[in-house]
Amino acid sequence: MTQFAATCPHHSLTHNNKTIGSMCIITTRSFLLIKILQSHSCALTCFTLQLFELESCTYTYLLADTETKEAVLIDPVLETVDRDLKLIHELGLNLKVAVNTHCHADHVTGTGIMRKKVVGLKSAISKFSGASADIQLSEGDKITFGKQYLTVRETPGHTDGCVTLVLADQSMAFTGDALLIRGCGRTDFQQGCAKTLYQSIHEKIFTLPDECLVYPAHDYLGRTVSTVGEERKFNPRLTKNLDEFMDIMKNLNLPKPKKIGINIIDNTNLYCASYQKVIYCFFENVKISIKISI
Amino acid sequence: MTQFAATCPHHSLTHNNKTIGSMCIITTRSFLLIKILQSHSCALTCFTLQLFELESCTYTYLLADTETKEAVLIDPVLETVDRDLKLIHELGLNLKVAVNTHCHADHVTGTGIMRKKVVGLKSAISKFSGASADIQLSEGDKITFGKQYLTVRETPGHTDGCVTLVLADQSMAFTGDALLIRGCGRTDFQQGCAKTLYQSIHEKIFTLPDECLVYPAHDYLGRTVSTVGEERKFNPRLTKNLDEFMDIMKNLNLPKPKKIGINIIDNTNLYCASYQKVIYCFFENVKISIKISI
């Protein structure tokens, strides 16, 4: 089969003749030909929904094959598990895999509790994360849902076990904490390494088509999506050379993540197959976390 | 021209044979035919980007014609004006209109300051809002950007001046505070009227195609998009009859919006063409708002 770029140039935005933005919709006239196509092809189909967790500014992604209804959830958060499962139920989806792009330090994963609530659901994470899960992922692995699949690209640097998940047609990449919109994951704790992160992004993400949509695990400024082309052109860190990048990363002086005490020291996120209920309360305006093992 | 439904059934999700979800992507095979189409048609094209303001949980939407680069911004927020303008600049867009779906009570609109920063930019709001703006909107008006346009549907009930903006092909509706995801705008202050809101949603929004994407002005649970079909089926308020709906709305017992003191009493949002800078500080853990007229 002849190969075509992942997204539609008719819907793309260009800047100095370079495609940089491409969140497109199917409109009246193009829809006609897709209807025709439908009658005599096995075109790939994929439903995608972005969800947000307000406290940690984490994005969770729900993907589904529109024909078989098999679904994958990327980076679910403990606090929003019930929201996600209700939506999955309403949409009539069959959740097959809940995957973490890495072992998070800023929120507690929802995959552990989801496994207990959804029959047959498998958790997944990189084999280099140090975390336990039903599926241990490595470079080139495919996470299949119906006729769709995500391909694993290992993108370490923020942590050793960071992966980027790329949709089969390379129209979307779920970059976790490796590449963020106009930024990238920090490299000053866990197994962070600025040089490794720089190489990961340039070799594994920036080699994707410019039109490929970039869906990160977080955004703290309310941006929802970018493209590889935009980040190659406008990312203030990744447009620098390696030495400049390492210097930037060395001098970020970021505060410690809110839940690093829960997630790293106590290893909650190192066991995707089990979980601890975390309850919050306030005492003289100081937020207290209380963990209950279940 | 023969009319077709707004979104692609090949990409839609069904539940009990009813289309309820349809956030679709164009994939490899369908892309082939769109390429062919492109060479001999004048198909409509539209870029759409959702943005989020964290404090008020407000969604801002950037829409652009991919050919002419003319753009419209829906419900910009004062605090995120610089973010939005930077993005518009990077994408090479020409912002023509900044439109408010209604006079907001929970955040300060960004349209006033944007008008001062962007040459030729017009602000727009319903003529029934009581607010001043360059363009006073009413039922059936079109907000044009390139070959695209949004049609105004008046949907009062949360306020007298609430409108829903519908993309030309009815694939997307920006519902403001009229219809929210699994909810709706409150009706207990300003010109709120539960009966009017119920009629607005049923007559002006639920008459759109089931596949039409619903993009609200807010979501407090991190959901980003719904469809008319989903809301017709699952909205816990709007699936009730009018009497039950009015009873629900009467007993919500919601707290006063955070910025109602700024936005309603002081009329900041009643003048889209001017603005006041709002600065926040903390005094003994109490958040204080200080307004500076500019």
Side-chain angles (χ1 to χ4, degrees):
Chain A
M1 188 179 76
T2 310
Q3 292 299 308
F4 296 92
T7 51
C8 172
H10 202 54
H11 294 72
S12 67
L13 278 168
T14 57
H15 185 83
N16 297 331
N17 296 322
K18 193 77 178 166
T19 301
I20 51 169
S22 62
M23 190 149 189
C24 61
I25 59 159
I26 299 175
T27 51
T28 311
R29 295 286 296 255
S30 58
F31 178 65
L32 163 61
L33 287 188
I34 293 170
K35 276 179 75 79
I36 296 167
L37 175 71
Q38 185 183 3
S39 65
H40 59 80
S41 84
C42 55
L44 294 174
T45 55
C46 186
F47 168 93
T48 312
L49 186 63
Q50 187 176 38
L51 298 153
F52 189 61
E53 197 282 316
L54 288 155
E55 193 193 4
S56 62
C57 292
T58 301
Y59 286 119
T60 297
Y61 300 95
L62 175 62
L63 282 73
D65 182 292
T66 56
E67 291 177 12
T68 67
K69 309 283 180 66
E70 288 186 358
V72 167
L73 200 61
I74 300 173
D75 286 334
V77 179
L78 181 63
E79 285 82 353
T80 45
V81 160
D82 288 342
R83 174 201 67 186
D84 299 348
L85 291 181
K86 186 178 181 192
L87 195 58
I88 287 164
H89 173 72
E90 287 177 347
L91 294 172
L93 301 177
N94 176 16
L95 186 60
K96 305 293 287 183
V97 180
V99 55
N100 287 291
T101 54
H102 64 294
C103 188
H104 306 277
D106 58 348
H107 67 270
V108 180
T109 177
T111 50
I113 191 168
M114 279 197 169
R115 279 184 74 259
K116 295 185 183 241
K117 292 191 172 193
V118 180
V119 176
L121 174 63
K122 304 285 187 192
S123 60
I125 197 165
S126 165
K127 69 177 182 182
F128 298 110
S129 66
S132 64
D134 297 315
I135 303 167
Q136 298 278 318
L137 300 169
S138 57
E139 181 74 20
D141 282 355
K142 287 182 170 51
I143 301 169
T144 302
F145 52 109
K147 293 175 183 170
Q148 295 284 345
Y149 62 87
L150 292 161
T151 304
V152 173
R153 293 190 176 200
E154 289 170 351
T155 48
H158 172 64
T159 72
D160 282 350
C162 284
V163 297
T164 288
L165 303 169
V166 182
L167 200 64
D169 65 358
Q170 298 192 345
S171 62
M172 295 182 180
F174 302 89
T175 56
D177 276 13
L179 179 62
L180 304 177
I181 297 172
R182 309 296 192 266
C184 62
R186 63 196 292 178
T187 56
D188 59 339
F189 65 87
Q190 293 176 266
Q191 310 97 355
C193 173
K195 184 177 178 184
T196 303
L197 181 60
Y198 188 87
Q199 289 169 337
S200 289
I201 293 172
H202 277 274
E203 293 169 13
K204 300 288 184 68
I205 300 174
F206 281 180
T207 49
L208 289 164
D210 273 349
E211 302 85 350
C212 179
L213 297 168
V214 170
Y215 284 110
H218 303 282
D219 193 82
Y220 304 98
L221 298 179
R223 298 161 298 191
T224 57
V225 65
S226 183
T227 58
V228 168
E230 278 177 76
E231 295 311 313
R232 281 169 55 88
K233 187 171 179 65
F234 299 119
N235 191 299
R237 299 179 188 172
L238 276 307
T239 45
K240 302 289 192 297
N241 66 36
L242 176 58
D243 286 341
E244 292 169 323
F245 177 79
M246 289 173 69
D247 198 50
I248 291 169
M249 297 308 288
K250 199 168 65 184
N251 295 296
L252 290 179
N253 300 317
L254 296 169
K256 200 168 68 168
K258 283 181 195 170
K259 297 192 180 176
I260 194 167
I262 300 168
N263 291 356
I264 304 304
I265 297 168
D266 299 313
N267 290 339
T268 306
N269 268 357
L270 297 183
Y271 296 91
C272 293
S274 64
Y275 81 108
Q276 291 174 308
K277 179 76 179 169
V278 181
I279 294 171
Y280 300 102
C281 64
F282 286 85
F283 177 71
E284 292 184 354
N285 290 309
V286 177
K287 192 171 185 180
I288 309 290
S289 304
I290 301 167
K291 287 173 288 147
I292 304 167
S293 295
I294 297 174
Chain B
M1 189 179 75
T2 310
Q3 292 299 308
F4 297 92
T7 51
C8 172
H10 201 53
H11 294 72
S12 66
L13 278 168
T14 58
H15 185 83
N16 297 332
N17 296 321
K18 194 75 178 166
T19 302
I20 51 170
S22 64
M23 190 152 190
C24 61
I25 59 159
I26 299 176
T27 51
T28 310
R29 295 287 295 256
S30 58
F31 178 65
L32 163 61
L33 287 188
I34 293 170
K35 274 179 77 78
I36 295 167
L37 175 72
Q38 185 183 5
S39 66
H40 59 80
S41 85
C42 56
L44 295 174
T45 56
C46 185
F47 168 93
T48 312
L49 186 62
Q50 187 176 39
L51 297 154
F52 189 60
E53 198 282 315
L54 288 155
E55 193 193 3
S56 62
C57 293
T58 300
Y59 286 119
T60 296
Y61 299 95
L62 175 62
L63 282 72
D65 182 290
T66 57
E67 292 177 11
T68 67
K69 309 283 179 65
E70 289 185 0
V72 166
L73 200 60
I74 299 172
D75 287 334
V77 179
L78 181 62
E79 285 82 353
T80 46
V81 160
D82 289 342
R83 174 201 66 186
D84 299 348
L85 291 181
K86 187 178 180 192
L87 194 60
I88 286 163
H89 174 72
E90 287 177 348
L91 295 173
L93 301 177
N94 176 16
L95 186 60
K96 305 294 288 183
V97 180
V99 56
N100 287 291
T101 54
H102 64 295
C103 188
H104 306 278
D106 58 348
H107 67 271
V108 180
T109 178
T111 51
I113 190 167
M114 278 195 170
R115 279 183 74 259
K116 295 186 183 242
K117 292 192 171 192
V118 180
V119 176
L121 174 64
K122 304 286 187 192
S123 60
I125 197 164
S126 165
K127 70 177 181 183
F128 298 110
S129 66
S132 64
D134 298 314
I135 304 167
Q136 298 278 317
L137 300 169
S138 56
E139 180 75 19
D141 282 355
K142 288 182 171 50
I143 301 170
T144 303
F145 52 109
K147 293 174 183 171
Q148 296 284 346
Y149 61 86
L150 292 162
T151 304
V152 173
R153 292 190 176 201
E154 289 170 352
T155 47
H158 171 64
T159 72
D160 282 351
C162 284
V163 297
T164 289
L165 303 168
V166 182
L167 199 64
D169 64 358
Q170 298 192 346
S171 62
M172 296 182 180
F174 302 91
T175 56
D177 276 13
L179 179 62
L180 304 177
I181 299 173
R182 309 295 193 267
C184 63
R186 63 196 293 178
T187 55
D188 58 339
F189 64 88
Q190 294 176 265
Q191 311 97 354
C193 172
K195 183 177 178 183
T196 303
L197 181 60
Y198 189 87
Q199 289 169 336
S200 289
I201 293 172
H202 277 274
E203 292 168 13
K204 300 288 185 69
I205 300 174
F206 282 180
T207 48
L208 289 164
D210 274 348
E211 302 85 351
C212 179
L213 296 168
V214 170
Y215 283 111
H218 302 283
D219 192 83
Y220 305 98
L221 298 178
R223 298 161 299 190
T224 56
V225 63
S226 184
T227 58
V228 168
E230 278 176 75
E231 295 311 314
R232 282 168 55 87
K233 187 170 179 66
F234 299 119
N235 191 299
R237 297 179 189 173
L238 275 308
T239 45
K240 302 288 192 297
N241 67 37
L242 176 58
D243 287 340
E244 291 169 324
F245 176 79
M246 289 174 68
D247 199 50
I248 290 169
M249 297 307 288
K250 199 168 64 185
N251 294 296
L252 291 178
N253 299 318
L254 297 169
K256 201 168 68 168
K258 284 180 193 170
K259 297 192 181 177
I260 195 166
I262 300 168
N263 290 356
I264 303 305
I265 296 168
D266 298 315
N267 291 339
T268 305
N269 269 357
L270 296 184
Y271 295 91
C272 293
S274 64
Y275 82 107
Q276 291 175 307
K277 178 79 179 168
V278 182
I279 295 170
Y280 299 103
C281 63
F282 285 85
F283 177 72
E284 292 185 353
N285 289 309
V286 176
K287 193 170 185 179
I288 309 289
S289 303
I290 302 168
K291 289 173 288 147
I292 304 167
S293 295
I294 296 175

